[in-house]
Amino acid sequence: LPHPSPPPCSMVPDGKNWVPFVYGDELHFIYNLQPLQILKVNVETGVCEWLAVPVDTSHKDRDDIGALRGGSGARVLGGRWVVGFGHATLTHHQHAAFLYVIDMVT
């Protein structure tokens, strides 16, 4: 498969928390939740592209959240909302589950 252009931040070398979902009959992967990075895959050609997403800076100064990572496969609800469960790394031995909702229209 051709490699897509790199996302706005550096890629994790051995990323394992990619979250697949289908939106508009196209395969997508959430590559990163913080900052949000979504990859759209053309399954016929193998070409991948990064979607432009707004940058959320509301949590940039919080150091108690930890790294937000994927978890379950996401589902699209109402043709608009991508919903899934992820996990936050609080310490080396402590994780917390969270629910996320991504609006694919705005």
Side-chain angles (χ1 to χ4, degrees):
L1 295 176
H3 293 283
S5 300
C9 72
S10 61
M11 293 185 77
V12 177
D14 297 317
K16 61 182 169 88
N17 295 301
W18 293 31
V19 178
F21 67 96
V22 175
Y23 175 73
D25 293 327
E26 295 178 303
L27 178 62
H28 293 72
F29 288 93
I30 298 171
Y31 174 76
N32 199 358
L33 287 163
Q34 185 184 17
L36 180 61
Q37 296 173 297
I38 299 175
L39 186 65
K40 181 169 74 170
V41 181
N42 182 320
V43 296
E44 293 180 10
T45 66
V47 174
C48 301
E49 68 178 279
W50 295 102
L51 297 185
V53 295
V55 176
D56 178 9
T57 59
S58 62
H59 300 295
K60 70 179 178 120
D61 296 326
R62 300 226 10 217
D63 59 3
D64 61 327
I65 295 176
L68 302 181
R69 296 186 170 88
S72 67
R75 303 286 291 190
V76 176
L77 302 177
R80 175 178 185 160
W81 308 99
V82 177
V83 180
F85 289 96
H87 69 281
T89 302
L90 304 175
T91 69
H92 182 65
H93 299 288
Q94 186 180 17
H95 296 84
F98 64 91
L99 171 74
Y100 60 86
V101 179
I102 299 169
D103 184 352
M104 293 295 287
V105 175
T106 59

